[in-house]
Amino acid sequence: MTAGVTPMQNAIQALRSDAQASPDQAASDLATGRAVLRAEAAALSDMAEELNGAFISALDILMGVTAVGDRAGRIIVSGMGKSGHIGRKIAATFASTGTPAQFVHPGEASHGDLGMITERDAVIAISNSGETHELSDLIGHVKRFQIPMIGITGRAGSTLAEAANVALILPQHPEAGEIGLAPTTSTTMTLAMGDALAVSLMARKGFTANDFRVLHPGGKLGRQLLKVADLMHRGENIPLVQQQARMDEVVLTITSKHFGCTGVVDDAGGLIGIVTDGDLRRHMSNNLAEQLVTKVMTAGPIMITSTMIAAEALNIMNDRKITAMFVVDEAQKPVGIVHIHDFLRAGVA
């Protein structure tokens, strides 16, 4: 036994060695993985080609139910087993792209949760076979109250397909793998169909990146979609001097505002230049304080707008190797300033 290595560590290392695939096994594993991916990719390709008017009809239903107004409803997604797992993700995708949606378990629906489904809503029911008996009570409920239902199924003549107002029929493709029994290809197609519906509905509604940011305030997505307006300093915090100012006033402004620079504005309030700490060093002389700012400033500074995505503004700063930028309006009048530290504090990268 190696000095300092416990029997338990030796045992763990032996198990790890035994678990490592031989070259032949590794080649077989790669072949299996590639076959699965190719099988599912082929199914998705066929599904894209077969998409037809039923898809448009489904979107019409979803758009009509969730349109803005006092009677706007939700999308209710339901499915059993693996279809249920996929259904939860589809509901989450709708919700995160601006369409109120929730998942209702068909088993729980039969024991009171049918009350979650109102006449304002639309239902997306999922069953690859189209004969999932746990969906029967839910189907009966939506038929009784004339709630529109979209069925996603692999069988055109199934109970679900016949009961649905619109049936989205998945192409006939075998499940991936030698056994061909575990839901793989079928669940991938179902998930992709849900994505197609959600993204198409989002496009119809004109859902924007800013709308997306409102629904994703946390995490990396929220940080990536922050705008300059969310980070910039405004009002009295903006370091500015008039074009007639002397450099002694400029130095005081740079020192008091703590941005390492000041903007220079003309009589109309438009930004015409910038003076940075670097400009001060480059123009250092005995009479610097008496010079006019226009003799020292860098004309035509880089300007950005408040509606610019913060990550885009940060890229400009990194490319130009600058630490602060002025934010201007349509008339190039300063409305704010951002420092690279503002982006770092907000987690923009």
Side-chain angles (χ1 to χ4, degrees), residues 229-312:
D230 299 316
L231 303 178
M232 71 184 190
H233 304 266
R234 310 165 187 262
E236 293 298 321
N237 293 317
I238 309 173
L240 294 173
V241 297
Q242 296 293 321
Q243 62 182 349
Q244 299 88 359
R246 294 193 339 166
M247 286 303 298
D248 52 357
E249 178 185 347
V250 170
V251 172
L252 289 175
T253 300
I254 293 176
T255 303
S256 64
K257 299 297 183 178
H258 307 293
F259 286 99
C261 67
T262 185
V264 183
V265 294
D266 59 20
D267 293 337
L271 187 67
I272 60 172
I274 186 173
V275 180
T276 67
D277 288 336
D279 291 321
L280 295 181
R281 289 191 295 272
R282 284 187 290 273
H283 290 82
M284 188 62 65
S285 65
N286 292 333
N287 66 340
L288 175 63
E290 302 171 0
Q291 293 186 38
L292 291 178
V293 66
T294 50
K295 298 293 185 180
V296 177
M297 73 180 190
T298 299
I302 299 170
M303 296 174 276
I304 57 175
T305 64
S306 61
T307 57
M308 179 179 286
I309 297 295
E312 182 181 355

Side-chain angles (χ1 to χ4, degrees), residues 55-73:
F55 183 80
I56 304 302
S57 298
L59 284 177
D60 290 340
I61 289 174
L62 300 179
M63 186 69 181
V65 165
T66 61
V68 176
D70 292 339
R71 291 191 55 80

Side-chain angles (χ1 to χ4, degrees), residues 5 57 80 86 167 178 184 245 251 254 295 300 309 337:
V5 179
S57 298
M80 193 68 189
I86 297 299
E178 292 183 4
T184 49
V251 172
I254 293 176
K295 298 293 185 180
I309 297 295
I337 185 172

